[in-house]
């Protein structure tokens, strides 16, 4: 008997003996995980209406309370200022704009800088938004890009937690701007640290400082939720930019920023398409697969990512009453792409596949195709339905191969 199944049998036995609740189970790859289509009151969800009016809202509430924490809405008084624009960027192929978002409208308050490229050959361009790890200046080596002054983790080119000129273009390989522009998409990116610096600072820095009432409670506004909130604020700006087709904006994220992209897609239905690149634990990976990163590791290394209530699940990975297929399901019926890399064992690529696959019943209930593959696919063999998945060779990264699949997926679902 598999270890997880043994654990489940023990829970069932205890529950029967002591009268507790047994969460109805869904089977993926022979493993039992909580059923996304069973309401908290035990009723099976059999109609789209039940999903939309009962199950989806109760899952959103659950994940806000137990994992990501509560997020504020769109801030009143938020202001945008386009501080740079060049219609001759990328050898004339694109218009580059840089925009500061003042979250509370005050120039000395919390703020983020958007770096935006718009294809010159499209009138009203669909777009892809995503946060970056190491500053807007890291996605392309161009002195015209404002150097971020936010807090930085120790990494190449960072001195005293501030970025230096040496960080310019260090992640250009993960952001093939020309390829994306040639395909007819705008790209908007923001440094994660503008929204919330990625360290445990007691939520003193970052946007949380604007919302003290959301702290000091179990479901506090934590970092992954703040990044997701920031992604929605980028979309708020794009809605004001006439060059952008703001109804067709995909949200993308890699790794911890993929965790944020999934939560942004789950909670903000204005995003018609979601891309998770190696989002791992707290992203697309099923926690019930205990190899790879577990809750205990996340909570030790990154205690600020999720809300205080999430800590009670440390050590419970294989017996959780929820799992990440439920978060992916919240995106349904909007298209979602989950991608893995074979050597990215921390993310557990197979567990990311089954996370995506376990959302399939919701997509089908809503009358759309789910994920066609019935087994973990071979390398470089994308399986593409409304849910898409691929695993490529290599390690934790974003490669041209990944982007080619995402852009084809976007062509299929995002272009008019
Ligand atoms: C790791 C973390 C993962 C993943 C990764 C990343 O240290 O354990 O959950 O998010 O960082 O963001 O690159």
């Amino acid at each position: 008997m598999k270890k997880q199944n043994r654990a489940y049998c023990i829970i069932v036995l205890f529950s029967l003996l002591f009268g507790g609740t047994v969460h109805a189970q869904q089977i993926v790859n022979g493993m039992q995980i909580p059923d996304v289509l069973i309401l908290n009151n035990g009723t099976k969800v059999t109609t789209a209406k039940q999903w939309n009016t009962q199950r989806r809202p109760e899952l959103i509430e659950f994940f806000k309370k137990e994992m990501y924490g509560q997020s504020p809405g769109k801030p009143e008084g938020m202001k945008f200022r386009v501080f740079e624009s060049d219609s001759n960027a990328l050898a004339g192929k694109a218009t580059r704009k840089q925009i500061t978002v003042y979250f509370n409208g005050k120039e000395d308050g919390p703020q983020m800088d958007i770096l935006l490229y718009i294809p010159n050959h499209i009138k009203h361009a669909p777009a892809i938004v995503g946060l970056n790890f190491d500053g807007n200046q890291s996605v392309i080596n161009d002195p015209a890009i404002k150097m971020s002054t936010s807090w930085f983790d120790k990494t190449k080119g960072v001195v005293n937690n501030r970025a230096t000129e040496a960080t310019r273009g260090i992640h250009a390989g993960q952001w093939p701007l020309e390829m994306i522009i040639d395909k007819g998409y705008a790209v908007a990116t923001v440094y994660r640290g503008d929204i919330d610096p990625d360290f445990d600072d007691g939520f003193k820095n970052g946007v949380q400082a604007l919302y003290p009432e959301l702290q000091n409670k179990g479901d506090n506004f934590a970092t992954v939720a703040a990044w997701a909130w920031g992604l929605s604020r980028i979309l708020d700006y794009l809605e004001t930019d006439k060059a952008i087709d703001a109804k067709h904006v995909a949200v993308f994220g890699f790794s911890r920023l993929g965790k944020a992209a999934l939560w942004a897609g789950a909670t903000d239905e204005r995003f018609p398409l979601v891309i998770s690149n190696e989002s791992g634990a707290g992203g697309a990976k099923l926690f019930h697969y205990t190899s790879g990163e577990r809750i205990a590791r996340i909570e030790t290394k990154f205690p600020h990512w999720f809300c205080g209530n999430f800590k009670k699940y440390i050590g419970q990975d294989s017996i959780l009453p929820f799992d990440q297929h439920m978060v992916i399901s919240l995106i349904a019926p909007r298209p979602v792409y989950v991608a893995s890399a074979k050597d990215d064992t921390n993310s557990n690529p197979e567990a990311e596949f089954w996370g995506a696959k376990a959302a399939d019943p919701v997509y089908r209930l809503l009358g759309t195709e789910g994920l066609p593959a019935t087994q973990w696919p071979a390398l470089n063999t994308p399986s593409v339905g409304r849910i898409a998945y691929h695993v490529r060779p290599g390690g934790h990264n974003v490669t041209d191969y990944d982007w080619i699949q995402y852009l084809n997926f976007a062509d299929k679902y995002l272009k008019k």
Side-chain angles (χ1 to χ4, degrees), residues 133 192 198 227 254-259 278-282 293 297-298 301-302 305 344 346-347 396:
F133 268 83
R192 63 183 158 134
D198 196 356
W227 290 336
F254 167 42
S255 204
R256 67 197 68 185
L257 305 176
K259 304 182 208 302
E278 298 153 30
S279 56
E293 187 169 36
R297 182 172 186 274
I298 291 184
K301 283 196 73 178
F302 312 104
W305 280 1
D344 181 18
N346 196 43
S347 301
H396 200 54

mmCIF file of all heavy atoms in Angstrom, residues 133 192 198 227 254-259 278-282 293 297-298 301-302 305 344 346-347 396, ligand 1:
data_model
loop_
_atom_site.group_PDB
_atom_site.id
_atom_site.type_symbol
_atom_site.label_atom_id
_atom_site.label_comp_id
_atom_site.label_asym_id
_atom_site.label_seq_id
_atom_site.Cartn_x
_atom_site.Cartn_y
_atom_site.Cartn_z
ATOM 1 N N PHE A 133 12.315 38.497 -10.935
ATOM 2 C CA PHE A 133 13.055 38.199 -9.709
ATOM 3 C C PHE A 133 14.014 39.302 -9.295
ATOM 4 O O PHE A 133 14.234 39.541 -8.115
ATOM 5 C CB PHE A 133 13.881 36.913 -9.901
ATOM 6 C CG PHE A 133 13.141 35.679 -9.478
ATOM 7 C CD1 PHE A 133 12.241 35.068 -10.325
ATOM 8 C CD2 PHE A 133 13.343 35.141 -8.215
ATOM 9 C CE1 PHE A 133 11.552 33.932 -9.936
ATOM 10 C CE2 PHE A 133 12.659 34.015 -7.804
ATOM 11 C CZ PHE A 133 11.764 33.405 -8.662
ATOM 12 N N ARG A 192 9.404 42.004 -8.161
ATOM 13 C CA ARG A 192 8.622 41.509 -7.002
ATOM 14 C C ARG A 192 8.859 42.344 -5.741
ATOM 15 O O ARG A 192 7.946 42.566 -4.946
ATOM 16 C CB ARG A 192 8.977 40.046 -6.715
ATOM 17 C CG ARG A 192 10.436 39.863 -6.311
ATOM 18 C CD ARG A 192 10.866 38.410 -6.093
ATOM 19 N NE ARG A 192 12.307 38.357 -6.228
ATOM 20 C CZ ARG A 192 13.130 37.717 -5.399
ATOM 21 N NH1 ARG A 192 12.656 37.016 -4.404
ATOM 22 N NH2 ARG A 192 14.432 37.737 -5.603
ATOM 23 N N ASP A 198 11.239 40.247 -0.525
ATOM 24 C CA ASP A 198 11.095 38.819 -0.250
ATOM 25 C C ASP A 198 11.920 38.384 0.963
ATOM 26 O O ASP A 198 12.817 37.554 0.845
ATOM 27 C CB ASP A 198 11.516 38.050 -1.518
ATOM 28 C CG ASP A 198 11.049 36.616 -1.502
ATOM 29 O OD1 ASP A 198 10.470 36.186 -0.484
ATOM 30 O OD2 ASP A 198 11.263 35.928 -2.516
ATOM 31 N N TRP A 227 2.063 39.698 -3.982
ATOM 32 C CA TRP A 227 2.546 39.675 -5.375
ATOM 33 C C TRP A 227 1.377 39.503 -6.351
ATOM 34 O O TRP A 227 1.331 40.158 -7.396
ATOM 35 C CB TRP A 227 3.572 38.557 -5.549
ATOM 36 C CG TRP A 227 4.878 38.807 -4.847
ATOM 37 C CD1 TRP A 227 5.425 39.999 -4.481
ATOM 38 C CD2 TRP A 227 5.823 37.803 -4.423
ATOM 39 N NE1 TRP A 227 6.634 39.801 -3.861
ATOM 40 C CE2 TRP A 227 6.904 38.473 -3.813
ATOM 41 C CE3 TRP A 227 5.856 36.408 -4.495
ATOM 42 C CZ2 TRP A 227 8.012 37.796 -3.290
ATOM 43 C CZ3 TRP A 227 6.949 35.732 -3.970
ATOM 44 C CH2 TRP A 227 8.018 36.422 -3.375
ATOM 45 N N PHE A 254 7.129 32.490 -12.819
ATOM 46 C CA PHE A 254 8.119 31.415 -12.683
ATOM 47 C C PHE A 254 8.395 31.193 -11.200
ATOM 48 O O PHE A 254 8.669 32.145 -10.455
ATOM 49 C CB PHE A 254 9.393 31.848 -13.423
ATOM 50 C CG PHE A 254 10.626 31.020 -13.140
ATOM 51 C CD1 PHE A 254 10.564 29.636 -13.050
ATOM 52 C CD2 PHE A 254 11.864 31.632 -12.974
ATOM 53 C CE1 PHE A 254 11.709 28.879 -12.793
ATOM 54 C CE2 PHE A 254 13.012 30.893 -12.725
ATOM 55 C CZ PHE A 254 12.935 29.507 -12.627
ATOM 56 N N SER A 255 8.321 29.935 -10.796
ATOM 57 C CA SER A 255 8.719 29.545 -9.449
ATOM 58 C C SER A 255 7.860 30.222 -8.384
ATOM 59 O O SER A 255 6.638 30.173 -8.461
ATOM 60 C CB SER A 255 10.208 29.829 -9.275
ATOM 61 O OG SER A 255 10.700 28.985 -8.267
ATOM 62 N N ARG A 256 8.461 30.932 -7.406
ATOM 63 C CA ARG A 256 7.631 31.570 -6.379
ATOM 64 C C ARG A 256 6.689 32.581 -7.029
ATOM 65 O O ARG A 256 5.607 32.851 -6.541
ATOM 66 C CB ARG A 256 8.497 32.229 -5.304
ATOM 67 C CG ARG A 256 9.309 33.400 -5.764
ATOM 68 C CD ARG A 256 10.417 33.742 -4.794
ATOM 69 N NE ARG A 256 11.440 32.699 -4.775
ATOM 70 C CZ ARG A 256 12.479 32.681 -3.946
ATOM 71 N NH1 ARG A 256 12.639 33.655 -3.085
ATOM 72 N NH2 ARG A 256 13.351 31.697 -4.009
ATOM 73 N N LEU A 257 7.117 33.147 -8.147
ATOM 74 C CA LEU A 257 6.261 34.109 -8.838
ATOM 75 C C LEU A 257 5.183 33.391 -9.653
ATOM 76 O O LEU A 257 4.153 33.984 -10.007
ATOM 77 C CB LEU A 257 7.126 35.031 -9.696
ATOM 78 C CG LEU A 257 8.243 35.731 -8.883
ATOM 79 C CD1 LEU A 257 9.146 36.560 -9.777
ATOM 80 C CD2 LEU A 257 7.637 36.594 -7.767
ATOM 81 N N GLY A 258 5.413 32.102 -9.924
ATOM 82 C CA GLY A 258 4.367 31.249 -10.519
ATOM 83 C C GLY A 258 3.291 30.934 -9.493
ATOM 84 O O GLY A 258 2.106 30.838 -9.821
ATOM 85 N N LYS A 259 3.700 30.794 -8.231
ATOM 86 C CA LYS A 259 2.714 30.601 -7.152
ATOM 87 C C LYS A 259 1.787 31.817 -7.137
ATOM 88 O O LYS A 259 0.573 31.711 -6.990
ATOM 89 C CB LYS A 259 3.416 30.463 -5.793
ATOM 90 C CG LYS A 259 4.481 29.337 -5.719
ATOM 91 C CD LYS A 259 5.103 29.238 -4.325
ATOM 92 C CE LYS A 259 6.537 28.709 -4.247
ATOM 93 N NZ LYS A 259 6.855 27.428 -4.757
ATOM 94 N N GLU A 278 7.012 26.082 -13.543
ATOM 95 C CA GLU A 278 7.733 25.463 -12.412
ATOM 96 C C GLU A 278 7.391 26.144 -11.083
ATOM 97 O O GLU A 278 8.281 26.567 -10.348
ATOM 98 C CB GLU A 278 9.238 25.470 -12.698
ATOM 99 C CG GLU A 278 9.593 24.668 -13.934
ATOM 100 C CD GLU A 278 10.868 25.127 -14.631
ATOM 101 O OE1 GLU A 278 11.779 25.634 -13.961
ATOM 102 O OE2 GLU A 278 10.946 24.975 -15.870
ATOM 103 N N SER A 279 6.109 26.218 -10.794
ATOM 104 C CA SER A 279 5.666 26.920 -9.581
ATOM 105 C C SER A 279 5.827 26.065 -8.322
ATOM 106 O O SER A 279 5.841 26.607 -7.209
ATOM 107 C CB SER A 279 4.219 27.385 -9.734
ATOM 108 O OG SER A 279 3.388 26.285 -10.032
ATOM 109 N N GLY A 280 5.914 24.761 -8.475
ATOM 110 C CA GLY A 280 6.250 23.884 -7.349
ATOM 111 C C GLY A 280 5.292 23.943 -6.171
ATOM 112 O O GLY A 280 4.088 24.199 -6.327
ATOM 113 N N ALA A 281 5.832 23.717 -4.964
ATOM 114 C CA ALA A 281 5.011 23.657 -3.744
ATOM 115 C C ALA A 281 4.370 25.005 -3.463
ATOM 116 O O ALA A 281 5.033 26.037 -3.486
ATOM 117 C CB ALA A 281 5.874 23.233 -2.565
ATOM 118 N N GLY A 282 3.067 24.990 -3.227
ATOM 119 C CA GLY A 282 2.336 26.255 -3.058
ATOM 120 C C GLY A 282 1.965 26.837 -4.411
ATOM 121 O O GLY A 282 1.371 27.904 -4.502
ATOM 122 N N GLU A 293 9.704 19.837 -2.379
ATOM 123 C CA GLU A 293 9.532 20.777 -1.259
ATOM 124 C C GLU A 293 8.230 20.527 -0.499
ATOM 125 O O GLU A 293 7.179 20.333 -1.093
ATOM 126 C CB GLU A 293 9.536 22.205 -1.821
ATOM 127 C CG GLU A 293 9.544 23.261 -0.742
ATOM 128 C CD GLU A 293 9.828 24.648 -1.320
ATOM 129 O OE1 GLU A 293 9.370 24.945 -2.435
ATOM 130 O OE2 GLU A 293 10.532 25.421 -0.643
ATOM 131 N N ARG A 297 9.451 23.015 4.824
ATOM 132 C CA ARG A 297 10.586 23.744 4.250
ATOM 133 C C ARG A 297 10.177 25.169 3.872
ATOM 134 O O ARG A 297 10.891 26.131 4.155
ATOM 135 C CB ARG A 297 11.149 22.996 3.040
ATOM 136 C CG ARG A 297 12.354 23.710 2.445
ATOM 137 C CD ARG A 297 13.022 22.878 1.372
ATOM 138 N NE ARG A 297 14.243 23.503 0.911
ATOM 139 C CZ ARG A 297 14.287 24.426 -0.064
ATOM 140 N NH1 ARG A 297 13.174 24.834 -0.652
ATOM 141 N NH2 ARG A 297 15.445 24.946 -0.432
ATOM 142 N N ILE A 298 9.025 25.277 3.241
ATOM 143 C CA ILE A 298 8.551 26.626 2.877
ATOM 144 C C ILE A 298 8.456 27.486 4.136
ATOM 145 O O ILE A 298 8.926 28.626 4.178
ATOM 146 C CB ILE A 298 7.155 26.564 2.200
ATOM 147 C CG1 ILE A 298 7.261 25.916 0.824
ATOM 148 C CG2 ILE A 298 6.526 27.953 2.101
ATOM 149 C CD1 ILE A 298 5.968 25.889 0.043
ATOM 150 N N LYS A 301 12.072 28.368 5.415
ATOM 151 C CA LYS A 301 12.876 29.289 4.605
ATOM 152 C C LYS A 301 12.136 30.589 4.264
ATOM 153 O O LYS A 301 12.743 31.637 4.113
ATOM 154 C CB LYS A 301 13.283 28.600 3.287
ATOM 155 C CG LYS A 301 14.423 27.605 3.475
ATOM 156 C CD LYS A 301 15.051 27.248 2.141
ATOM 157 C CE LYS A 301 15.884 28.391 1.587
ATOM 158 N NZ LYS A 301 16.541 28.049 0.320
ATOM 159 N N PHE A 302 10.831 30.453 4.080
ATOM 160 C CA PHE A 302 10.043 31.619 3.606
ATOM 161 C C PHE A 302 8.766 31.766 4.440
ATOM 162 O O PHE A 302 7.650 31.645 3.912
ATOM 163 C CB PHE A 302 9.667 31.435 2.131
ATOM 164 C CG PHE A 302 10.810 31.030 1.233
ATOM 165 C CD1 PHE A 302 10.933 29.713 0.792
ATOM 166 C CD2 PHE A 302 11.764 31.951 0.838
ATOM 167 C CE1 PHE A 302 11.991 29.326 -0.034
ATOM 168 C CE2 PHE A 302 12.817 31.579 0.012
ATOM 169 C CZ PHE A 302 12.941 30.262 -0.423
ATOM 170 N N TRP A 305 5.699 33.891 3.105
ATOM 171 C CA TRP A 305 4.988 33.692 1.835
ATOM 172 C C TRP A 305 3.482 33.491 2.030
ATOM 173 O O TRP A 305 2.678 34.000 1.278
ATOM 174 C CB TRP A 305 5.560 32.497 1.075
ATOM 175 C CG TRP A 305 6.820 32.795 0.332
ATOM 176 C CD1 TRP A 305 7.496 33.988 0.279
ATOM 177 C CD2 TRP A 305 7.567 31.880 -0.471
ATOM 178 N NE1 TRP A 305 8.612 33.863 -0.512
ATOM 179 C CE2 TRP A 305 8.675 32.573 -0.988
ATOM 180 C CE3 TRP A 305 7.411 30.531 -0.805
ATOM 181 C CZ2 TRP A 305 9.621 31.974 -1.829
ATOM 182 C CZ3 TRP A 305 8.343 29.928 -1.637
ATOM 183 C CH2 TRP A 305 9.447 30.649 -2.149
ATOM 184 N N ASP A 344 14.001 19.534 -11.989
ATOM 185 C CA ASP A 344 13.559 20.465 -10.950
ATOM 186 C C ASP A 344 12.860 19.663 -9.842
ATOM 187 O O ASP A 344 11.647 19.777 -9.620
ATOM 188 C CB ASP A 344 12.610 21.483 -11.592
ATOM 189 C CG ASP A 344 12.099 22.530 -10.622
ATOM 190 O OD1 ASP A 344 12.716 22.696 -9.543
ATOM 191 O OD2 ASP A 344 11.075 23.171 -10.946
ATOM 192 N N ASN A 346 12.894 19.820 -6.675
ATOM 193 C CA ASN A 346 12.287 20.585 -5.578
ATOM 194 C C ASN A 346 10.809 20.877 -5.873
ATOM 195 O O ASN A 346 9.960 20.823 -4.984
ATOM 196 C CB ASN A 346 13.072 21.889 -5.377
ATOM 197 C CG ASN A 346 12.773 22.558 -4.055
ATOM 198 O OD1 ASN A 346 12.689 21.893 -3.026
ATOM 199 N ND2 ASN A 346 12.600 23.867 -4.085
ATOM 200 N N SER A 347 10.528 21.175 -7.149
ATOM 201 C CA SER A 347 9.126 21.435 -7.545
ATOM 202 C C SER A 347 8.352 20.145 -7.758
ATOM 203 O O SER A 347 7.131 20.160 -7.829
ATOM 204 C CB SER A 347 9.052 22.228 -8.848
ATOM 205 O OG SER A 347 9.700 23.454 -8.744
ATOM 206 N N HIS A 396 15.595 24.093 -13.113
ATOM 207 C CA HIS A 396 14.712 25.189 -12.753
ATOM 208 C C HIS A 396 15.077 26.466 -13.527
ATOM 209 O O HIS A 396 16.102 27.093 -13.241
ATOM 210 C CB HIS A 396 14.899 25.405 -11.248
ATOM 211 C CG HIS A 396 13.793 26.144 -10.587
ATOM 212 N ND1 HIS A 396 12.468 25.760 -10.681
ATOM 213 C CD2 HIS A 396 13.803 27.251 -9.795
ATOM 214 C CE1 HIS A 396 11.729 26.593 -9.980
ATOM 215 N NE2 HIS A 396 12.511 27.510 -9.435
HETATM 216 C C1 LIG B 1 13.032 27.867 -3.805
HETATM 217 C C2 LIG B 1 11.715 27.562 -3.185
HETATM 218 C C3 LIG B 1 10.721 27.143 -4.203
HETATM 219 C C4 LIG B 1 10.754 28.011 -5.432
HETATM 220 C C5 LIG B 1 12.114 28.604 -5.720
HETATM 221 C C6 LIG B 1 12.135 29.849 -6.559
HETATM 222 O O1 LIG B 1 14.021 28.142 -2.879
HETATM 223 O O2 LIG B 1 11.941 26.559 -2.272
HETATM 224 O O3 LIG B 1 9.421 27.070 -3.648
HETATM 225 O O4 LIG B 1 9.784 28.961 -5.423
HETATM 226 O O5 LIG B 1 12.802 28.960 -4.594
HETATM 227 O O6 LIG B 1 11.305 30.727 -6.406
HETATM 228 O O7 LIG B 1 13.080 29.954 -7.352
#
